[in-house]
Amino acid sequence: MKDNFTHLQAAHCENGVITKLLRLAGHDYMTEPLAFGIGSGLFYLHIPFFKFNGGPAITFRTAPGSIFKRTCKSLRIEIASKRFRSEQNAEEYLDFLLSQNHVVGCQVGVFNLKYFPPEYRFHFNAHNLIVYGKADNTYLISDPIMDRVTTLSSEELNKVRFAKGFLAPRGHLYYVTKTIPVSEELIRKAIIKGIKRTTSDMLHIPGNVGGVRGILYTSRQVRKWREKLGVRTTGHYLGQIIRMQEEIGTGGGGFRFIYAAFLEEASKYCKNDELLKISDMFTQSGDLWRENAVNMAGILRGRSTEQSDFDHIADILIEIHQIEKKAFTDLSNLRLK
Amino acid sequence: MKKEDIPQDSGPLEYMTPELCYVKNSNGSYDTVKSTGWKVKNEALSDAWERVHDRVENARNAVEMGLKSPIYFHMEKNIMNISILSSYVKINRLRVWLHMRPSVYKKLSARLLFRYAKVFNVKPEELNILK
């Protein structure tokens, strides 16, 4: 496998690994937005009272690993995944799979990942990469967020596969075991299932901190933060939101642009032009997220510190809420078949 | 976002890889384009690092004043907290917390110090050097 492997760059690591693994398994039509949409990757959640790295815990996506599981289930692809207790077993099993000509996806932590620039090495454990071969003591690595392939020695790979902390990978690896050729019909069904799951996640999740209502919750919090925490701490909080939203691996605008691209592809499969209009709404919402990131960076760097600046950010969040609520309501009213 | 609006600012990603972004091309359909970075993101990232550096400075002062042991300094320097550190060294959280006290740290066995040093990527005798 290692001789004719071609690298594929993606905006988000998990999508990239899925896309590449499925393409290798014979699903040539697979693209990153399609994998993201079928797996219902889009989400919003602001977990109250809980701090992550000393900032608000906000996520723009579903739980790590779920995109892969859902995409494969919808397309009737059988996968195997395994976690390990001992590093030695994990390495032996990986070597065994590689010798069987499997291409294997691995969950790793980025803190000790050698080819990442030092600025990006936080304790973040939900990064994914592909191992496609072994030469001597070096593993051949294809990391979807990079523009080329790379290598890691076996010690380096073991270290990142057994990173510790929140979402510790415990040597997690996964690969495609069995797949049947899929018809256009099945792809269409999978797309519709993905859209339905995302709409119900975003519109009907109970409580007021998840889905589109979660954006309103964040908006209310932002308004209060200056009084409650002071400008400096709030700046850190907003900085954290920017990183969750824009940092490498989101395709920009908190996954909204990837989702818009997915709806555009979906409209071709479903032959439905309404989807294109809804796709435009997500582009608009993604642009607003990005515009808001610029405003947040202003507060972060002390360029704007008045309460009115905070209110401005909160107002844009309300606007985003309205756009996304309308978009998802329209999506659920489409009655796709 | 339009294809021509994509920012190409320099930043820490420059030496690793350009990142892939989804943008609208001139036909109004989605396309991918590579970007070297965005200064808004870089500001958020450097703010996060400033906060880490502040914490490391505070930790250094606390160790020098004899309030905490060097383990505490190295923990902050590696952006860990007690729970991450305890799972890396495979020592109970309560014991790790105790090892942050200078009086307990002084009595630590060479074996334990070696385990800590291995996690922090330093030599055991360098644990006392705060840099």
Side-chain angles (χ1 to χ4, degrees):
Chain A
M1 180 49 73
K2 61 189 178 194
D3 301 323
N4 50 13
F5 185 88
T6 50
H7 181 65
L8 175 83
Q9 194 184 9
H12 175 228
C13 59
E14 193 177 340
N15 296 337
V17 171
I18 303 166
T19 314
K20 188 69 212 179
L21 287 185
L22 295 195
R23 274 194 197 176
L24 285 173
H27 295 257
D28 300 324
Y29 57 88
M30 189 48 72
T31 61
E32 188 189 357
L34 208 54
F36 183 73
I38 292 177
S40 305
L42 194 80
F43 192 47
Y44 186 86
L45 181 65
H46 184 156
I47 307 169
F49 315 118
F50 184 78
K51 295 277 177 295
F52 182 69
N53 280 341
I58 291 180
T59 175
F60 289 86
R61 50 164 295 179
T62 49
S66 56
I67 305 179
F68 187 62
K69 255 186 253 160
R70 292 164 172 181
T71 308
C72 290
K73 201 175 168 194
S74 293
L75 294 170
R76 297 190 194 152
I77 296 162
E78 284 176 28
I79 52 167
S81 77
K82 206 165 161 60
R83 291 173 196 262
F84 302 87
R85 287 203 167 197
S86 94
E87 294 189 21
Q88 204 195 343
N89 285 353
E91 191 181 344
E92 277 166 11
Y93 196 75
L94 177 63
D95 287 350
F96 168 71
L97 288 177
L98 292 174
S99 70
Q100 302 274 309
N101 248 345
H102 277 294
V103 173
V104 185
C106 276
Q107 186 192 342
V108 298
V110 299
F111 187 69
N112 283 312
L113 204 54
K114 166 191 88 163
Y115 54 79
F116 260 47
E119 286 86 348
Y120 278 87
R121 293 201 208 156
F122 285 91
H123 291 274
F124 171 69
N125 286 333
H127 186 60
N128 292 273
L129 47 77
I130 297 173
V131 186
Y132 66 94
K134 189 179 185 186
D136 299 328
N137 208 17
T138 357
Y139 287 98
L140 308 172
I141 307 284
S142 154
D143 189 322
I145 64 162
M146 302 250 294
D147 61 347
R148 58 187 177 274
V149 292
T150 174
T151 55
L152 285 176
S153 74
S154 59
E155 294 84 43
E156 285 161 347
L157 185 63
N158 267 341
K159 215 170 179 179
V160 291
R161 284 179 74 195
F162 281 88
K164 302 284 172 16
F166 182 57
L167 294 174
R170 304 208 322 272
H172 187 200
L173 55 77
Y174 45 89
Y175 56 97
V176 178
T177 47
K178 199 177 144 202
T179 154
I180 47 165
V182 289
S183 58
E184 190 106 332
E185 176 73 16
L186 186 66
I187 302 172
R188 210 158 49 83
K189 275 195 177 144
I191 289 174
I192 293 170
K193 195 173 172 195
I195 290 179
K196 280 191 176 158
R197 191 163 35 204
T198 311
T199 33
S200 88
D201 276 357
M202 288 297 281
L203 290 176
H204 305 306
I205 189 166
N208 62 354
V209 295
V212 287
R213 285 195 300 282
I215 306 175
L216 277 187
Y217 177 78
T218 311
S219 155
R220 285 198 296 278
Q221 295 291 315
V222 169
R223 250 182 248 280
K224 281 190 243 166
W225 275 345
R226 183 171 179 266
E227 201 126 291
K228 213 162 101 187
L229 306 160
V231 174
R232 200 171 145 70
T233 316
T234 311
H236 294 321
Y237 277 27
L238 295 177
Q240 174 125 329
I241 299 182
I242 299 179
R243 284 175 48 223
M244 294 286 160
Q245 175 191 324
E246 297 292 340
E247 206 40 274
I248 186 156
T250 60
F255 296 100
R256 265 62 186 169
F257 293 128
I258 298 189
Y259 202 71
F262 160 67
L263 290 180
E264 196 182 284
E265 278 195 39
S267 84
K268 277 177 215 146
Y269 280 101
C270 301
K271 303 192 177 54
N272 189 331
D273 286 341
E274 287 293 307
L275 283 171
L276 280 179
K277 282 185 205 153
I278 301 173
S279 161
D280 281 340
M281 287 158 94
F282 280 104
T283 312
Q284 207 185 340
S285 128
D287 284 336
L288 280 174
W289 279 112
R290 268 179 90 89
E291 186 192 324
N292 228 9
V294 178
N295 295 334
M296 290 181 202
I299 290 178
L300 178 72
R301 279 297 173 210
R303 289 191 289 266
S304 42
T305 51
E306 297 300 314
Q307 179 62 36
S308 61
D309 301 317
F310 286 78
D311 287 341
H312 183 53
I313 291 176
D315 291 340
I316 294 185
L317 284 174
I318 292 179
E319 206 182 327
I320 292 172
H321 159 82
Q322 283 159 351
I323 292 174
E324 291 195 0
K325 189 172 180 189
K326 171 125 202 331
F328 281 115
T329 317
D330 286 359
L331 262 185
S332 67
N333 289 340
L334 271 187
R335 310 235 171 272
L336 293 165
K337 265 192 218 127
Chain B
M1 192 170 37
K2 296 239 171 57
K3 198 169 187 171
E4 53 274 15
D5 294 342
I6 198 85
Q8 301 284 358
D9 302 333
S10 62
L13 272 183
E14 237 175 339
Y15 303 104
M16 177 185 151
T17 170
E19 62 176 316
L20 203 69
C21 293
Y22 281 82
V23 289
K24 283 255 179 189
N25 62 17
S26 48
N27 304 331
S29 57
Y30 265 93
D31 207 347
T32 56
V33 68
K34 285 178 185 180
S35 156
T36 51
W38 189 24
K39 64 175 190 296
V40 169
K41 276 184 2 181
N42 296 342
E43 282 178 349
L45 189 62
S46 53
D47 177 75
W49 278 102
E50 272 166 34
R51 206 149 52 133
V52 171
H53 292 320
D54 283 353
R55 289 182 71 116
V56 174
E57 265 328 289
N58 289 343
R60 188 200 311 276
N61 290 338
V63 176
E64 278 168 359
M65 282 160 68
L67 300 172
K68 297 272 185 185
S69 81
I71 304 263
Y72 178 71
F73 169 80
H74 286 285
M75 177 181 87
E76 290 289 356
K77 205 187 151 207
N78 286 280
I79 340 173
M80 293 176 174
N81 54 27
I82 289 192
S83 91
I84 295 181
L85 177 56
S86 98
S87 50
Y88 267 107
V89 286
K90 296 184 182 148
I91 296 176
N92 185 295
R93 281 154 77 150
L94 189 65
R95 276 181 78 201
V96 172
W97 176 75
L98 277 172
H99 295 164
M100 310 256 163
R101 300 183 156 209
S103 54
V104 181
Y105 173 76
K106 256 185 279 175
K107 293 180 207 153
L108 280 188
S109 68
R111 242 185 83 221
L112 271 182
L113 286 180
F114 179 76
R115 273 162 75 175
Y116 275 111
K118 204 177 159 203
V119 169
F120 296 138
N121 242 338
V122 293
K123 291 194 188 98
E125 57 272 22
E126 287 173 355
L127 272 177
N128 287 321
I129 306 170
L130 307 182
K131 64 160 196 216

